[in-house]
Amino acid sequence: MRIIDLYRKSFTISFEIFPPKTEAGDINLWKEMQALSDLGPGYISVTYGAGGSTREKTLDIALKIRDSYNIIPLVHFTCVGSGEKEIARYLEIVKKKEIINILALRGDPPVGEEHFTPPPDGFSHANELVKFIKGLDDFAIAVAGYPEGHIEAENIDTDIDNLKRKVDAGADFIITQLFYDNNDYYTFIDKITQKGITVPVIPGIMPVTSLAQITKITGMCGARIPKKLLAELQQCRSDETICKTGIEYSTRQCHELKQWGVQGFHFYTLNKSAAVNKIIESL
């Protein structure tokens, strides 16, 4: 099934997981996957390592999600480290495995490099990848959106112009980067609507369970932790109270967004189920 059809029918919950790097991580993932599957997600996205380093593992996990849990997989794919011929070969394998949903991303520069440099026969931007994938077969394609603007963009308007190119190239829906101020999402929707973008825009939610972890993640992606939330987290005296505060904040955030009329939530789980379980129970 094409994921876009889920959004046309009903409110949809979805999750993101990542390929573990260790045997212990693998064991934990499939333990948590059982709990995540019990929450009834419409689909689960599987990330893609730097430079395509987990490409085969990403596909293996996606197939297990589909075949063992009967959940639609959304496979990440980036421009990093692959030229046109290699991308075409990989997507032919994906198609033969009967996976049709792709999250097309430019991808981050490899570790140690400050700027993204495409392969000689590769792509510099996600819209080019979207157009290429659409030309290969009738894949359903998701792309990323950034309510606060991409960290490399000159400004939010320039970033929205880039998003419009991805949608015009064939993207079916948008999943946003994590954010903690709903007003950023509302402003983002207003701006992209003015640009003529009408595809579903699914808010990306990452509950705070560790102050050090979320500080690192937001620093890397350019997302902002509101001062009030940061102050509350800094006042917590234990990891347990940080987690509780973070979950309560994301729960309020999700309730407001749902009342506003979003078509679903995409939870960045970090391969853990407890936080999203509590939020979904409250919804």
Side-chain angles (χ1 to χ4, degrees):
M1 174 182 266
R2 296 162 63 88
I3 290 172
I4 184 61
D5 292 333
L6 296 178
Y7 292 117
R8 289 171 177 155
K9 294 178 180 178
S10 62
F11 186 86
T12 299
I13 295 290
S14 57
F15 304 132
E16 177 185 282
I17 62 173
F18 63 85
K21 296 180 180 179
T22 65
E23 183 177 350
D26 280 327
I27 293 170
N28 175 74
L29 171 62
W30 297 113
K31 175 185 175 183
E32 296 292 337
M33 258 302 306
Q34 184 57 59
L36 290 171
S37 68
D38 290 343
L39 296 173
Y43 64 93
I44 292 179
S45 72
V46 189
T47 68
Y48 189 79
S53 58
T54 65
R55 181 184 300 173
E56 287 75 22
K57 195 167 186 178
T58 293
L59 184 55
D60 289 343
I61 291 172
L63 291 170
K64 187 170 182 178
I65 287 171
R66 183 192 67 189
D67 298 337
S68 298
Y69 297 92
N70 196 31
I71 298 172
I72 299 169
L74 174 65
V75 176
H76 290 217
F77 194 77
T78 76
C79 299
V80 180
S82 300
E84 287 190 18
K85 291 182 180 179
E86 188 176 354
I87 291 171
R89 283 196 297 269
Y90 175 74
L91 291 176
E92 182 66 24
I93 294 171
V94 170
K95 184 175 68 173
K96 287 181 179 178
K97 299 290 186 180
E98 299 182 345
I99 290 178
I100 62 170
N101 294 286
I102 303 287
L103 176 57
L105 306 161
R106 189 206 68 179
D108 297 323
V111 176
E113 297 183 20
E114 293 185 8
H115 304 288
F116 177 82
T117 303
D121 60 341
F123 304 114
S124 299
H125 305 287
N127 66 291
E128 298 169 352
L129 179 62
V130 172
K131 182 178 180 180
F132 182 74
I133 294 173
K134 275 292 183 181
L136 291 176
D137 209 315
D138 190 26
F139 286 102
I141 301 177
V143 294
Y146 302 88
E148 300 171 73
H150 191 280
I151 194 168
E152 295 179 21
E154 181 179 348
N155 53 54
I156 185 67
D157 293 318
T158 299
D159 194 43
I160 289 173
D161 287 340
N162 293 335
L163 179 60
K164 181 70 161 56
R165 293 185 186 96
K166 291 189 281 188
V167 173
D168 290 347
D172 297 291
F173 65 99
I174 298 162
I175 299 173
T176 79
Q177 177 63 274
L178 62 98
F179 61 93
Y180 292 101
D181 187 338
N182 287 352
N183 287 323
D184 290 331
Y185 177 84
Y186 305 146
T187 301
F188 180 65
I189 295 298
D190 286 343
K191 285 180 174 290
I192 68 172
T193 300
Q194 291 171 15
K195 289 287 186 178
I197 297 174
T198 59
V199 300
V201 183
I202 311 307
I205 305 295
M206 181 181 287
V208 177
T209 56
S210 163
L211 181 54
Q213 184 181 59
I214 201 61
T215 300
K216 179 180 179 181
I217 290 172
T218 54
M220 291 172 60
C221 71
R224 176 175 56 88
I225 304 176
K227 291 181 179 179
K228 184 178 179 180
L229 172 59
L230 183 59
E232 290 179 6
L233 294 169
Q234 290 173 335
Q235 290 171 4
C236 294
R237 299 303 181 190
S238 67
D239 291 342
E240 182 179 350
T241 54
I242 287 174
C243 187
K244 182 175 183 292
T245 298
I247 291 171
E248 289 174 350
Y249 184 92
S250 290
T251 298
R252 293 192 300 270
Q253 184 183 14
C254 288
H255 274 289
E256 181 185 300
L257 286 165
K258 195 168 188 295
Q259 290 177 346
W260 185 83
V262 299
Q263 292 170 269
F265 295 120
H266 190 66
F267 289 98
Y268 298 106
T269 70
L270 300 176
N271 291 7
K272 297 177 181 178
S273 63
V276 294
N277 181 50
K278 291 181 180 179
I279 295 170
I280 291 171
E281 281 182 351
S282 78
L283 293 173

